[in-house]
Amino acid sequence: MKRIEATVQATKIGAVTDAIKDIVGGFTILEGKGRGSGARQEMRSGRGTGHVTAEYNQVATVSTIVDDSDVEKISSAIADAAFTGKGGDGIIAVSNVDSVLNIASKKSGPEAL
């Protein structure tokens, strides 16, 4: 089993979840602020005469656990949905998961997904 964590622009979270909701059993979304290679938002300050650059961008991290055979399909779906062609589109990290236990059903391993 593998854990996929994709950090994407917050504005793309709807497209990403739509792309994976029928492929994965479930997922978690965490919204926050991040700093990467993307351009930061320019905001007006004072009475609109000055400009301030935001220190962080709004991001969301989608996390899910899947069978090894589904990693490529899910990663591609996320990448396609989050793509804008500009720097700061996000990053996808895949890591190994040793065990999983579904608390409600008491099933473990791939059956827990």
Side-chain angles (χ1 to χ4, degrees):
M1 292 176 292
K2 302 284 186 189
R3 178 185 185 106
I4 299 175
E5 287 189 358
T7 302
V8 299
Q9 296 177 18
T11 57
K12 289 294 195 171
I13 197 64
V16 170
T17 57
D18 285 346
I20 66 169
K21 68 182 176 186
D22 294 331
I23 305 172
V24 300
F27 52 86
T28 302
I29 300 171
L30 300 172
E31 295 183 357
K33 297 178 181 180
R35 185 174 183 138
S37 63
R40 289 180 234 325
Q41 183 179 8
E42 189 85 12
M43 299 173 287
R44 290 186 184 177
S45 65
R47 295 185 177 183
T49 57
H51 293 279
V52 176
T53 302
E55 189 169 344
Y56 301 102
N57 291 330
Q58 296 296 318
V59 297
T61 300
V62 179
S63 177
T64 188
I65 299 172
V66 300
D67 284 326
D68 293 357
S69 61
D70 293 331
V71 170
E72 189 61 36
K73 177 172 51 172
I74 295 165
S75 295
S76 293
I78 293 170
D80 291 343
F83 181 77
T84 65
K86 300 176 184 174
D89 278 351
I91 190 167
I92 299 172
V94 179
S95 57
N96 290 321
V97 174
D98 294 330
S99 67
V100 175
L101 174 68
N102 184 313
I103 297 170
S105 67
K106 303 294 186 210
K107 293 180 181 178
S108 62
E111 294 175 359
L113 303 178

